[in-house]
């Protein structure tokens, strides 16, 4: 005993050595069998899918007791089901919070990964392929979800409250400290700036001392995360991945992600011993934003006072080639966005945006101002999208307004004139920020993601007289996201969204309802940068690679960078899978709640079979190969909802027993015939025959259901006789009967 309230599931693992339980109290508990009398000890075979007669005897032996090993918390609602993943040493659970979670058996139930993606409140059932480590879960949105658990261990880190607390123990997360020299430079920059300001104002040492006392609290903040202007990933040389860090000390730092070493440093500010005249006005302490130029050869660094430096990335010298220009009279620069290699847009307070064009023939010439856009709002522009076909520019601000401009018209007028929008749509996301914008392929729709956790669609139409209008079409909340930060179009045309759920950064395939990535950043206010590459997998987007960097300020004056990666970083070993890295596939196999799922073992390592039952009265057997759905076969429909399914097979048999149950206490039995699942390479259409149907009584109401069913193969009583393939099936109904 130990649970408070109802116990919803119990699962034996490792041939009865462990027992896992979940319940109404939102806990997951693991129990270990006491060693007891040596006479009853049996060998443990982790990957066996059933207990032998001797092992079953040991489980119920009076000298054996199960002692509580650990209790863990993580689910925010009731926990419905659990399953062991013995090949990985993990326990997988699902619950009423619509999440599937993975726990480390050896390390006290430490949370390893949280998997989301159900468009519903409940993930009802979970099962794991013991040898391959593939988990499947069914929810009440009518879908069955599939996760390769090895990928989840490597790519989804659940770090608890603070990822900086134990980064080495978090899968896929790696820690780096910014070189100490960067902070020493910051001290010098602050001291020199204060001294120069005192001289200009004619202050005495005593007067300046008073001012210095007021500024004593600032250095600690500058030495932590505030010393960083921004971060971005880029390719150097032959394509080696690197992390670029721009510091307010006037330095550029480059981290080699392959070796984990800070191998390059350059001066980009006026603190260079021999600064150029063009850079004399740039003050690195006022730097506020950065943007990597397409082709990764330079970076734009913006100052809050309106100055911009275009810095060429690392060469053979200690200083870098750079040009600078001013956006005056429009200062208070907030963000920089590159349209392409030769066009840059700067975003300023009070709804102002400026388009700059660089000369393609000269890399040292300052840019030309093409147009000034005025949204006519008091919000701060923070996002934009440009449609090359229609030459329209959309800008979103911090007050949930989106303005549409015609770049073709703006370029024909005086560059200093402020251009009003063709159309302004207000309160697109309530009063929250418009974080990202994206045009559809034909330019007829504008899609936006906001801090309200919704994706909104605006229709852009052109009247007969040429006038352009834009109106809000639909707005839908994104499951599991409280704020949408990024939008992408996947390789199959799917809409992808990235954003926050609490402190976790999550990437979802919105079209298919699939979670692609989930990383705990330790706080959504921390500075982050993300680089992702997507690939198509069946009609669903998959993540072929990702890099996520998180800047963490510490109280010991160190600036810490956490890098989460799907690849290899310095001295870090990842679990390798025989298949290419995958995240998971999510398909709507049913029209209503999926109440039960069960994996069917196969001898073909590339092929998996999944049995699922739903409230739509349907039972389906799905065939997957290398994570791709090949076919789905419908079994006979039940008279009403299907509440549970299971499968069992003998090790010496090439056939498998399938059991389904549901309303009116009906239990149906099927035979998956020989060759259909054992060594099923090339068999995408498994052969199934119905054995019988069991119905307990004739006058049974529709609400009286069989809610749970399990089957196990029975060993022969006499080994000399012909092998008899029999199974024991146990079912439980809604009235508590077995």
């Amino acid at each position: 005993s130990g649970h408070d309230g109802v116990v919803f599931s119990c699962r034996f693992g490792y041939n009865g050595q462990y027992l896992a339980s979940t319940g109404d109290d939102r806990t997951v508990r693991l129990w270990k069998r006491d060693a007891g009398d040596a006479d009853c000890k049996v060998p443990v075979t982790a990957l066996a899918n059933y207990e032998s007669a001797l092992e079953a005897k040991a489980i119920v032996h009076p000298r054996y007791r199960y002692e509580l090993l650990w209790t863990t918390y993580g689910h925010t609602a009731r926990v419905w089901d659990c399953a062991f993943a013995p090949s990985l040493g993990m326990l997988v659970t699902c619950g009423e919070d619509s999440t599937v979670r993975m726990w480390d058996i050896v390390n006290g139930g430490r949370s390893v990964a949280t998997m989301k993606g159900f468009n519903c409140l409940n993930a009802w059932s979970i099962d794991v392929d013991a040898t391959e480590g593939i988990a499947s879960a069914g929810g009440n949105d009518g879908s069955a979800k599939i996760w390769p658990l090895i990928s989840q261990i490597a790519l989804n880190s659940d770090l608890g409250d603070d990822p900086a607390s134990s980064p080495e123990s978090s899968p896929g997360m790696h820690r780096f400290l910014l070189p100490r020299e960067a902070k020493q430079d910051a001290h010098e920059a602050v001291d020199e700036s204060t001294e120069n300001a005192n001289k200009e104002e004619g202050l005495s040492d005593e007067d300046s001392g008073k001012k210095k006392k007021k500024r004593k609290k600032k250095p600690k903040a500058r030495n932590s995360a505030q010393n960083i202007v921004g971060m971005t990933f880029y390719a150097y040389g032959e394509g080696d991945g690197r992390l670029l860090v721009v510091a307010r000390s006037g330095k550029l730092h480059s981290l080699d992600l392959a070796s984990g070493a800070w191998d390059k440093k350059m001066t980009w500010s006026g603190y260079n011993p021999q600064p150029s005249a063009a850079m004399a006005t740039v003050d690195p302490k006022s730097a506020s934003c950065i943007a990597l130029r397409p082709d990764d050869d330079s970076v734009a660094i913006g100052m809050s006072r309106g100055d911009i430096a275009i810095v060429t990335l690392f060469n053979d010298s200690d200083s870098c080639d750079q040009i600078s220009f001013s956006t005056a009279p429009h200062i208070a620069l907030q963000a920089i966005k590159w349209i392409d290699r030769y066009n840059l847009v700067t975003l300023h307070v009070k709804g102002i945006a400026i388009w700059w064009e660089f000369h393609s023939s000269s890399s040292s010439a300052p840019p030309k101002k093409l147009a000034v856009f005025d949204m006519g709002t008091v919000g701060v522009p923070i996002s934009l999208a440009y449609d090359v076909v229609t030459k329209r520019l959309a800008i979103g601000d911090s007050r949930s307004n989106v303005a549409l401009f015609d770049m073709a018209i703006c370029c024909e007028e005086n560059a200093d004139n402020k251009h009003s929008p063709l159309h302004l749509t207000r309160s697109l996301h309530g009063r929250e920020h418009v974080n990202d914008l994206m045009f559809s392929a034909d330019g007829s729709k504008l899609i936006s993601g906001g801090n309200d956790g919704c994706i909104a669609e605006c229709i852009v139409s052109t009247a007969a007289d040429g006038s352009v209008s834009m109106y809000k079409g639909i707005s839908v909340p994104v499951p599991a996201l409280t704020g949408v930060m990024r939008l992408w179009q996947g390789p199959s045309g799917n809409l992808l969204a990235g954003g926050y759920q609490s402190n976790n950064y999550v990437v979802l395939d919105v079209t298919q309802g699939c979670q692609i990535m989930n990383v705990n950043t330790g706080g959504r206010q921390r500075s982050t940068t993300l680089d992702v590459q997507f690939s198509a997998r069946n009609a669903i987007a998959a993540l072929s690679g990702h890099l996520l960097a998180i800047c963490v300020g510490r109280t010991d004056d160190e600036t810490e960078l956490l890098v989460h990666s799907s690849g290899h970083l310095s001295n870090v070993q990842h679990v390798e899978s025989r298949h290419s890295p995958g995240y998971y596939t999510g398909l709507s196999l049913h029209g209503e709640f999926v109440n039960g799922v069960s994996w069917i073992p196969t001898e073909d390592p590339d092929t998996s079979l999944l049995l699922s039952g739903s409230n739509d009265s349907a039972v389906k057997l799905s065939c997957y190969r290398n994570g791709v759905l090949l076919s789905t076969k419908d079994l006979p429909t039940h008279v009403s909802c299907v509440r549970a399914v299971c499968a069992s097979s003998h090790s010496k048999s090439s056939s498998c027993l399938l059991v389904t149950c549901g309303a009116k206490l009906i239990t149906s039995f099927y035979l998956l015939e020989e060759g259909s699942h054992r060594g099923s390479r090339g068999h995408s259409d498994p052969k199934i025959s119905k054995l019988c149907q069991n119905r307990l009584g004739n006058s049974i109401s529709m609400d009286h259901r069989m809610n749970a069913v399990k089957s196990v193969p029975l060993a022969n009583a006499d080994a000399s006789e012909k092998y008899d393939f029999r199974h024991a099936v146990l079912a439980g109904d809604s009235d508590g009967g077995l």
Side-chain angles (χ1 to χ4, degrees):
S1 64
H3 282 280
D4 295 329
V6 179
V7 177
F8 291 117
S9 70
C10 291
R11 292 283 187 103
F12 286 110
Y14 294 84
N15 296 87
Q17 295 290 321
Y18 292 98
L19 174 66
S21 62
T22 65
D24 204 17
D25 55 1
R26 306 179 183 182
T27 66
V28 179
R29 299 171 187 260
L30 186 69
W31 313 77
K32 186 176 182 180
R33 190 174 68 198
D34 188 11
D37 195 303
D39 295 338
C40 295
K41 288 185 178 180
V42 294
V44 177
T45 306
L47 301 184
N49 59 0
Y50 66 94
E51 289 77 32
S52 67
L54 183 60
E55 292 164 342
K57 181 180 178 181
I59 290 175
V60 298
H61 197 282
R63 295 182 181 179
Y64 283 76
R65 294 182 58 85
Y66 282 88
E67 302 292 341
L68 182 62
L69 193 61
W70 49 254
T71 301
T72 189
Y73 298 84
H75 283 279
T76 58
R78 292 174 288 185
V79 188
W80 298 125
D81 200 6
C82 62
F84 283 94
S87 62
L88 302 175
M90 298 290 167
L91 178 67
V92 188
T93 60
C94 63
E96 194 177 18
D97 57 359
S98 75
T99 66
V100 173
R101 297 174 185 265
M102 188 156 40
W103 315 91
D104 191 333
I105 294 176
V106 177
N107 296 317
R110 181 180 66 89
S111 178
V112 175
T114 302
M115 294 156 276
K116 303 176 183 178
F118 287 106
N119 299 320
C120 58
L121 293 177
N122 288 280
W124 289 113
S125 180
I126 185 77
D127 198 10
V128 176
D129 184 301
T131 57
E132 292 297 312
I134 299 176
S136 65
N140 64 355
D141 62 348
S143 66
K145 310 291 184 180
I146 301 170
W147 290 269
L149 295 182
I150 290 179
S151 295
Q152 295 298 316
I153 293 174
L155 303 172
N156 286 357
S157 70
D158 194 334
L159 307 178
D161 295 332
D162 187 2
S165 59
S166 57
E168 294 88 353
S169 63
S170 302
M173 188 70 76
H174 319 284
R175 182 182 66 178
F176 306 94
L177 295 179
L178 193 68
R180 189 79 181 182
E181 184 177 358
K183 287 176 278 297
Q184 294 173 351
D185 292 340
H187 277 299
E188 296 172 3
V190 173
D191 294 341
E192 183 178 342
S193 174
T194 303
E195 183 179 352
N196 293 338
N198 291 338
K199 289 180 179 179
E200 291 176 1
E201 297 175 9
L203 299 177
S204 64
D205 291 340
E206 295 180 359
D207 293 334
S208 63
K210 293 180 182 179
K211 288 184 175 292
K212 287 181 181 178
K213 288 181 180 179
K214 295 180 180 179
R215 298 182 180 181
K216 280 186 177 180
K217 295 181 180 179
K218 292 184 178 180
K220 182 173 288 186
R222 290 178 184 273
N223 291 342
S224 58
Q226 292 186 19
N227 187 47
I228 304 300
V229 183
M231 308 175 293
T232 185
F233 294 101
Y234 75 104
Y236 178 78
E238 298 298 326
D240 296 335
R242 294 175 183 266
L243 174 65
L244 175 69
V245 179
V246 181
R248 289 191 173 88
S249 61
K251 302 290 185 181
L252 294 179
H253 296 269
S254 177
L255 173 66
D256 187 341
L257 297 177
S259 65
W262 297 92
D263 60 343
K264 293 183 179 295
K265 182 186 73 172
M266 293 184 66
T267 301
W268 65 268
S269 72
Y271 292 104
N272 187 9
Q274 295 180 345
S276 62
M279 291 296 296
T281 60
V282 174
D283 181 6
K285 298 187 302 299
S286 67
S288 59
C289 54
I290 69 169
L292 184 68
R293 192 173 192 171
D295 298 337
D296 295 353
D297 62 347
S298 60
V299 62
I301 306 174
M303 320 296 153
S304 59
R305 300 176 182 178
D307 300 318
I308 297 178
I310 308 297
V311 181
T312 302
L313 294 182
F314 303 94
N315 50 33
D316 295 333
S317 64
D318 293 334
S319 60
C320 43
D321 299 330
Q322 51 198 2
I323 60 172
S324 64
F325 61 96
S326 176
T327 62
H330 305 289
I331 57 175
L333 181 62
Q334 299 296 307
I336 304 172
K337 306 286 185 181
W338 288 96
I339 302 298
D340 54 36
R341 180 172 176 78
Y342 302 110
N343 292 277
L344 177 72
V345 177
T346 57
L347 305 178
H348 308 257
V349 297
K350 297 184 179 180
I352 299 297
I354 307 176
W355 187 300
W356 304 86
E357 183 183 46
F358 290 81
H359 295 281
S360 59
S361 58
S362 175
S363 59
S364 60
K368 172 186 176 183
K369 184 192 297 183
L370 287 186
V372 178
F373 309 102
D374 187 357
M375 295 181 64
T377 66
V378 296
V380 178
I382 55 178
S383 60
L384 62 84
Y386 181 66
D387 184 38
V388 180
V389 178
T390 61
K391 298 188 181 301
R392 291 170 183 163
L393 178 70
I395 303 176
D397 70 5
S398 59
R399 296 294 184 91
S400 199
N401 304 308
V402 175
L404 186 67
F405 298 89
D406 192 332
M407 189 61 191
I409 298 175
C410 297
C411 291
E412 297 174 356
E413 302 179 8
N414 191 326
D416 292 323
N417 293 343
K418 292 183 179 180
H419 301 283
S420 299
L422 297 174
H423 191 91
L424 177 66
T425 301
R426 298 182 181 272
S427 301
L428 195 58
H429 293 275
R431 299 288 291 178
E432 300 291 342
H433 294 186
V434 180
N435 293 320
D436 201 7
L437 294 167
M438 182 177 68
F439 279 101
S440 62
D442 58 0
S444 62
K445 297 178 182 178
L446 178 66
I447 304 170
S448 63
N451 246 13
D452 59 349
C454 294
I455 293 179
E457 182 181 273
C458 291
I459 308 300
V460 181
S461 60
T462 304
D465 59 357
S467 61
V468 178
S469 62
M470 181 175 66
Y471 61 91
K472 182 177 179 179
I474 60 173
S475 179
V476 294
V478 180
L481 291 186
T482 55
V484 179
M485 310 302 295
R486 293 277 300 276
L487 295 173
W488 301 272
Q489 186 174 19
S492 300
N494 296 0
L495 178 61
L496 311 176
Y500 283 96
Q501 169 63 45
S502 185
N503 292 335
N504 289 33
Y505 195 92
V506 181
V507 177
L508 296 171
D509 184 332
V510 179
T511 304
Q512 295 290 343
C514 305
Q515 175 185 295
I516 299 176
M517 187 184 80
N518 184 350
V519 180
N520 189 336
T521 64
R524 62 188 302 168
Q525 300 303 322
R526 288 178 171 175
S527 176
T528 60
T529 183
L530 174 67
D531 181 43
V532 292
Q533 294 87 38
F534 298 103
S535 61
R537 195 173 182 183
N538 203 16
I540 298 166
L543 203 60
S544 56
H546 82 273
L547 289 166
L548 175 66
I550 307 164
C551 182
V552 181
R554 304 197 325 190
T555 57
D556 58 357
D557 291 349
E558 295 285 355
T559 301
E560 186 175 68
L561 300 176
L562 301 177
V563 179
H564 193 265
S565 169
S566 57
H568 293 265
L569 295 185
S570 61
N571 301 321
V572 178
Q573 299 297 323
H574 290 283
V575 180
E576 294 292 339
S577 171
R578 78 176 77 185
H579 305 306
S580 58
Y583 288 72
Y584 85 98
T585 303
L587 292 176
S588 295
L589 296 176
H590 295 271
E592 294 188 26
F593 304 169
V594 176
N595 295 318
V597 291
S598 179
W599 283 107
I600 299 172
T602 68
E603 291 181 351
D604 182 358
D606 297 327
T607 304
S608 302
L609 296 176
L610 178 67
L611 183 67
S612 59
S614 167
N615 261 15
D616 60 2
S617 305
V619 180
K620 295 178 182 289
L621 185 65
S622 305
C623 180
Y624 294 85
R625 182 168 300 139
N626 293 329
V628 178
L629 178 64
L630 296 182
S631 65
T632 298
K633 191 178 186 67
D634 290 321
L635 276 67
T637 304
H638 275 234
V639 294
S640 185
C641 61
V642 180
R643 303 296 293 181
V645 299
C646 67
S648 62
S649 62
H650 284 266
S651 59
K652 296 182 179 181
S653 173
S654 58
S655 61
C656 181
L657 176 67
L658 310 181
V659 186
T660 66
C661 65
K664 291 193 172 185
L665 300 183
I666 295 176
T667 304
S668 300
F669 301 88
Y670 303 89
L671 181 66
L672 183 61
E673 297 180 8
E674 293 188 15
S676 294
H677 74 299
R678 297 289 188 181
S680 56
R681 183 181 301 275
H683 294 278
S684 60
D685 185 19
K687 298 179 181 180
I688 302 173
S689 59
K690 187 171 183 177
L691 297 177
C692 61
Q693 184 180 91
N694 182 53
R695 183 170 184 172
L696 300 179
N698 296 323
S699 301
I700 306 297
S701 69
M702 194 70 72
D703 294 332
H704 197 178
R705 308 182 182 98
M706 284 293 187
N707 279 337
V709 65
K710 294 295 179 184
S711 63
V712 293
L714 296 178
N716 269 12
D718 188 354
S720 63
E721 298 178 3
K722 183 180 179 180
Y723 208 86
D724 188 8
F725 301 119
R726 292 185 295 174
H727 302 257
V729 180
L730 179 65
D733 68 11
S734 55
D735 287 346
L738 290 177

